[in-house]
Amino acid sequence: MAFIHAIAHIELNAIDLAWDIIARFTNEALPKLFYDDWVQVALDEAEHFNLLSERLSELGGAYGDLPAHNGLWEAAVTTNDDLLARLAIVPMTLEARGLDTTPGAVSKLRQAGDAQSADILQRIGSEEIPHVRAGVRWFETLCEGRGIDPVTSYHEFIRTRFQGSLKPPFNEEARAQAGMTIEYYARYGDKPA
Ligand SMILES: [Fe+2]
Ligand SMILES: [Fe+2]
């Protein structure tokens, strides 16, 4: 129940983050497709929150019963001045981290006999792939527009805007489906960059 509550909190923050990326970066000339992508993300995140909220009530609880950390929203604040930094840290790092941790969480829930929560998390995990994909796509589009190398500038953002480092294990399959090539994260893992 504490675990489901923590994920529900992440999804609630993710709704706010999707609307924030839509509303905040009005200094950039962005095509309608950019906004379409993040409206879809906001809709997905709202569905994820509802799925977890319903699961919490089946387990006899509700969102708000437990304290929650503010890490995700802090990432929004530290990247509120630059859309490239926001894309690098939120979808391409924090949401990509979700892709890495989901398979382990799903199997733990199954082992604990909570198949319903496991199914919800599995569905959420697969629906997060397009969110990371949208992050990579717009990050690369903007880098191209600025004439900078995406992989180099991603590493620069990890160094300057991210607390800590990228940690393996990486879900290479899900990251590949999201269009995130290994150059983005290989140097942080066991494999040579
Ligand atoms: Fe989500
Ligand atoms: Fe997401």
Side-chain angles (χ1 to χ4, degrees), residues 8-9 14 40 94 112 132 135 155 163 171:
H9 179 69
Q40 182 61 51
L94 298 173
V132 178
H155 290 148
Q163 303 243 323
N171 185 342

Side-chain angles (χ1 to χ4, degrees), residues 68-82:
H69 71 87
N70 201 30
L72 257 187
W73 196 252
E74 279 160 18
V77 174
T78 58
T79 59
N80 65 8
D81 62 319
D82 184 358

Side-chain angles (χ1 to χ4, degrees), residues 29-59:
L30 296 159
K32 182 173 173 291
L33 279 176
F34 175 88
Y35 296 100
D36 289 347
D37 273 356
W38 301 107
V39 169
Q40 182 61 51
V41 170
L43 178 65
D44 292 348
E45 308 299 19
E47 281 175 8
H48 297 166
F49 177 78
N50 284 341
L51 285 168
L52 293 163
S53 202
E54 281 161 22
R55 186 66 193 134
L56 279 173
S57 76
E58 287 166 5
L59 295 168

Side-chain angles (χ1 to χ4, degrees), residues 78-164:
T78 58
T79 59
N80 65 8
D81 62 319
D82 184 358
L83 176 56
L84 262 191
R86 171 67 57 86
L87 290 165
I89 301 305
V90 175
M92 292 175 71
T93 300
L94 298 173
E95 288 204 277
R97 181 87 199 114
L99 302 183
D100 301 336
T101 57
T102 295
V106 168
S107 64
K108 260 189 202 155
L109 285 165
R110 284 205 200 289
Q111 275 164 21
D114 188 352
Q116 279 167 285
S117 298
D119 289 346
I120 291 170
L121 241 71
Q122 196 152 22
R123 174 183 157 182
I124 290 176
S126 66
E127 291 180 0
E128 295 299 340
I129 292 172
H131 302 180
V132 178
R133 191 186 300 135
V136 174
R137 184 194 305 134
W138 291 110
F139 184 81
E140 291 182 346
T141 303
L142 265 91
C143 281
E144 200 182 320
R146 294 187 195 183
I148 55 179
D149 177 61
V151 170
T152 308
S153 54
Y154 178 74
H155 290 148
E156 182 70 12
F157 284 125
I158 291 298
R159 207 171 57 73
T160 56
R161 303 277 192 134
F162 188 61
Q163 303 243 323

